[in-house]
Amino acid sequence: MQKKSEATHQAVPETGAATSRRAFLATAAAVGAPLLVSPRTAFGSAANSRLTLGAIGNGGRGTWIAELFQKHGGYQITAAADYFQERVEAFGSKFEVPAARRYTGLSGYRKLLESGVDAVVIESPPYFHPRQAADAVEAGKHVYLAKPIAVDVPGCHTVEESARKATEKKRAFLVDFQTRTDPFYREAVKRAQYGDIGRIVSGEATYFCGPTWGDQAKWLTEKPGDPELRLRAWGLDRALSGDVITEQNIHALDVASWVLDAAPLHAVGTGGQRARTAGTCWDTFSVIYTFPRDVVVTFSSKQLGDGWDDICCRIYGTEGTLDSHYFGEVSIRGKLPYRGGKIPNLYTDGAAANIATFHESITGGDWTNPTVAQSVRSNLTTILGRSAAWRGAPVSWDEMLRANEALEADLSGLRS
Amino acid sequence: MTRRALLLVALLAAAAPGSRGQPAPATVSAPATVAAPAVVNSLGIKMLLVPAGSFEMGSLPGAPLRQEEEYPHRVTLTKVFRIAPTEVTQRQWLALMPQNPSAQAGDDLPVTSVSWKDAQEFCLRLSQKEGATYRLPSEAEWEYACRAGETEPASASGLDAVAWYAENAGGAAHAVGSKKPNAWGLHDTLGNVAEWTLDAYGPYPRAPDTTDPTGPATGSTRVVRGGSWRGFAPAVRCAARTGTPESYQLAHVGLRVVQEIR
């Protein structure tokens, strides 16, 4: 047992991923590290050149993140694709995308891939992510992909394979999870993995918020059966979004699988559409996961009511607790406490950090693509919980992988 | 064998990486094996000779389980030294110290729950007894000895054979030396108990090459290395590092000694 403790650890001053990666490249160049090629070879132009970027998905988040890409300074948005004409036009006007490089329809992104861009940012409904990412890699583009990476098991495998091909083809492939850029999250996770909270016994992951997708619910209610409104209201369509556990709650479960450095063995769950009346997505999930070493993680989420707007993951050990909140503080309480702290706006700052890392990967020639494996694992973790809840029966990880079940979205009536 | 002969063997070994017929990793110029015989001190610790050499400290971006702070840089150690093949046991501790603070008693178990200063005191007493300079390893010496001339001495999938860690330790430390040693004959560098090093904890210098680094000049948080029976795979790697206040006495932290050679 520990005999003494102090108020806090003295943390090593954090260095941003950007700085250390750049410094690493200098080192690697000096020692001839085999993983890398020179920046010029990697990008084919000066390392500080602006990358041309195609934006696939020009809705709310697509527009929001494009602003961050623009703000970075290392990108020039030269093409845009969205199913909806008015969205791509608004996006194109805002970011001065030439009219000839604004593409619409379900397959508009393919024309974007032929427009000469260096990289793409994919912010379309999750159902489309695997195919769009695969086609982008096939076309030799660097890929910046929003979470979730896919809505089903085959989609996760497709993304995994695309990232592997990207590495082979010397292309960057980054999945945009914000928490993993946060120094407080990183330090707390590291300490838990070192045993600072003792033997890990259990955990809880929660994602509580009020009603979301209000406009989408309205559209569906006003014109049920309209194919374009169904697409526009993708957040309420379980096949297009993956359902809320995969589409949004993944943030909380990603932290759990990160700390435990494992995939769950099996899950049992329940839930339903208890408040919202539009769409096919549930508005509450409750799942019990069993991870290796008999670690049990309870998960619950809601998209209804008021209060508790929180994305939380707590991991309980025999000697302490890791407590993390996406919009709040990250800390460890117990015999080896960690005071941690709070990034003012992780939602924005995390994405900005990933955008910077993506740029440095491309200009520096780093094709290791380290964000993908964990993203596949946490995406599959959400699918396991969803499968168990939808089925109302226990589902094992192996069973889920063997079933390899695909979600099929209804795209009938949409323009290709 | 005389000291001069030992040094000669070590230098020859250092000059011939991959001398067992296997190519040495491109970025490691340390020998694949430690070819010199060990010296047994009065506590029965069989001190292994570690030759001078260079190695890549830290981990490359994209390496499995890496942490950002493991900034990769080349380190050259110019001085030959000896290192214990195992963590200090409770029997060895009690030969010099008045009390055994370990939470889990056993002669051949590693001593634990010792502060960094306790560890320093043990080294001082051992030095006095042996008429030699014993101390904790520097962080660089520790990683050099952990890697033992290899870039990745134990992948996560191979940990079972070489390390007691959270997946296989059953929530307790085990007798030292009961897992396979690394290429230089060191046991339990990964797992069992984590080990104090001499250095204060701080970010690595942002320089591509360093020689005989000793860490920040000041600081009361010390580098602890190797992971332990309570750590998961990310913590049980040669590159993994963490800082612990030097006053802490932890059930998963012990020590390993080195002996300077002059």
Side-chain angles (χ1 to χ4, degrees), chain A residues 284-327:
Chain A
T284 182
F285 275 89
S286 294
V287 179
I288 299 173
Y289 289 97
T290 301
F291 280 79
R293 300 180 292 277
D294 288 329
V295 175
V296 173
V297 174
T298 60
F299 162 78
S300 66
S301 71
K302 73 169 183 73
Q303 248 185 3
L304 52 87
D306 287 322
W308 300 107
D309 221 354
D310 188 22
I311 305 171
C312 165
C313 181
R314 291 196 182 101
I315 301 293
Y316 298 103
T318 52
E319 295 174 23
T321 297
L322 184 158
D323 183 28
S324 67
H325 302 268
Y326 186 104
F327 295 111

Side-chain angles (χ1 to χ4, degrees), chain B residues 72-123:
Chain B
H73 57 296
R74 190 158 187 84
V75 168
T76 299
L77 298 176
T78 62
K79 300 185 179 89
V80 178
F81 62 98
R82 292 195 181 96
I83 191 164
T86 63
E87 292 151 346
V88 172
T89 66
Q90 293 175 31
R91 179 190 285 116
Q92 290 160 354
W93 181 268
L94 277 173
L96 296 176
M97 304 293 279
Q99 288 181 322
N100 176 13
S102 308
Q104 180 193 349
D107 285 348
D108 295 324
L109 293 177
V111 67
T112 62
S113 305
V114 295
S115 70
W116 183 81
K117 285 183 178 168
D118 294 337
Q120 291 283 81
E121 178 64 23
F122 177 85
C123 292

Side-chain angles (χ1 to χ4, degrees), chain A residues 103-181:
Chain A
Y103 308 104
T104 62
L106 288 176
S107 57
Y109 77 94
R110 291 198 178 123
K111 294 174 190 159
L112 178 147
L113 295 177
E114 295 165 3
S115 70
V117 294
D118 297 314
V120 295
V121 49
I122 298 176
E123 300 286 338
S124 55
Y127 179 82
F128 301 109
H129 288 180
R131 183 74 267 145
Q132 291 173 343
D135 288 347
V137 170
E138 199 60 37
K141 311 305 174 191
H142 306 283
V143 175
Y144 186 101
L145 181 61
K147 63 79 209 162
I149 59 170
V151 299
D152 53 24
V153 174
C156 288
H157 289 154
T158 298
V159 170
E160 195 171 30
E161 177 64 10
S162 296
R164 190 190 61 73
K165 281 185 184 168
T167 298
E168 273 181 11
K169 298 175 78 162
K170 296 184 167 47
R171 293 294 180 271
F173 195 117
L174 185 144
V175 181
D176 178 19
F177 276 96
Q178 298 83 51
T179 43
R180 297 188 214 145
T181 69

Side-chain angles (χ1 to χ4, degrees), chain A residues 47-270:
Chain A
N48 60 358
S49 295
R50 286 210 293 173
L51 299 167
T52 54
L53 181 73
I56 300 174
N58 307 148
R61 187 173 169 87
T63 303
W64 172 84
I65 205 162
E67 289 175 358
L68 295 182
F69 273 97
Q70 194 174 53
K71 195 172 173 185
H72 175 274
Y75 302 90
Q76 182 182 3
I77 302 168
T78 58
D82 194 287
Y83 176 85
F84 297 102
Q85 179 84 35
E86 92 280 3
R87 283 189 179 168
V88 76
E89 294 301 342
F91 183 97
S93 298
K94 183 177 177 69
F95 297 103
E96 299 179 341
V97 176
R101 290 184 185 161
R102 302 176 188 178
Y103 308 104
T104 62
L106 288 176
S107 57
Y109 77 94
R110 291 198 178 123
K111 294 174 190 159
L112 178 147
L113 295 177
E114 295 165 3
S115 70
V117 294
D118 297 314
V120 295
V121 49
I122 298 176
E123 300 286 338
S124 55
Y127 179 82
F128 301 109
H129 288 180
R131 183 74 267 145
Q132 291 173 343
D135 288 347
V137 170
E138 199 60 37
K141 311 305 174 191
H142 306 283
V143 175
Y144 186 101
L145 181 61
K147 63 79 209 162
I149 59 170
V151 299
D152 53 24
V153 174
C156 288
H157 289 154
T158 298
V159 170
E160 195 171 30
E161 177 64 10
S162 296
R164 190 190 61 73
K165 281 185 184 168
T167 298
E168 273 181 11
K169 298 175 78 162
K170 296 184 167 47
R171 293 294 180 271
F173 195 117
L174 185 144
V175 181
D176 178 19
F177 276 96
Q178 298 83 51
T179 43
R180 297 188 214 145
T181 69
D182 181 341
F184 299 120
Y185 268 97
R186 285 155 62 148
E187 182 66 15
V189 169
K190 180 181 118 176
R191 287 168 186 241
Q193 291 175 337
Y194 267 79
D196 277 19
I197 62 172
R199 180 169 53 83
I200 292 176
V201 174
S202 62
E204 61 179 303
T206 56
Y207 191 121
F208 296 144
C209 62
T212 49
W213 309 122
D215 286 347
Q216 297 189 8
K218 189 177 161 197
W219 300 331
L220 288 180
T221 306
E222 285 175 358
K223 288 184 76 176
D226 182 303
E228 292 201 338
L229 283 180
R230 191 171 59 238
L231 178 60
R232 211 179 273 277
W234 64 270
L236 297 177
D237 185 291
R238 60 165 57 175
L240 289 172
S241 71
D243 214 332
V244 63
I245 188 172
T246 296
E247 199 274 315
Q248 295 203 354
N249 306 161
I250 191 170
H251 285 297
L253 288 166
D254 180 62
V255 176
S257 64
W258 180 16
V259 178
L260 298 173
D261 188 37
L265 300 173
H266 50 83
V268 60
T270 187

Side-chain angles (χ1 to χ4, degrees), chain A residues 6 12 20 186 190 293 336, chain B residues 68-69 167 201 247-248:
Chain A
E6 295 179 355
V12 167
S20 56
R186 285 155 62 148
K190 180 181 118 176
R293 300 180 292 277
L336 291 172
Chain B
E68 193 65 35
E69 66 175 320
E167 301 284 6
Y201 185 48
S247 62
Y248 276 26

Side-chain angles (χ1 to χ4, degrees), chain B residues 107-222:
Chain B
D107 285 348
D108 295 324
L109 293 177
V111 67
T112 62
S113 305
V114 295
S115 70
W116 183 81
K117 285 183 178 168
D118 294 337
Q120 291 283 81
E121 178 64 23
F122 177 85
C123 292
L124 178 64
R125 293 186 185 200
L126 183 57
S127 299
Q128 289 166 345
K129 183 172 172 55
E130 296 293 318
T133 301
Y134 281 84
R135 58 172 171 76
L136 296 171
S138 70
E139 184 178 17
E141 289 169 341
W142 189 95
E143 185 168 331
Y144 180 59
C146 180
R147 293 188 180 281
E150 301 179 44
T151 47
E152 293 296 335
S155 65
S157 58
L159 273 181
D160 256 353
V162 299
W164 293 111
Y165 69 121
E167 301 284 6
N168 64 7
H174 291 258
V176 301
S178 53
K179 288 285 188 182
K180 274 175 54 179
N182 69 13
W184 289 354
L186 279 73
H187 297 267
D188 302 321
T189 47
L190 301 177
N192 210 14
V193 295
E195 300 170 17
W196 287 113
T197 72
L198 199 56
D199 295 6
Y201 185 48
Y204 287 147
R206 288 300 193 258
D209 295 280
T210 60
T211 299
D212 297 326
T214 55
T218 59
S220 60
T221 296
R222 300 289 167 175

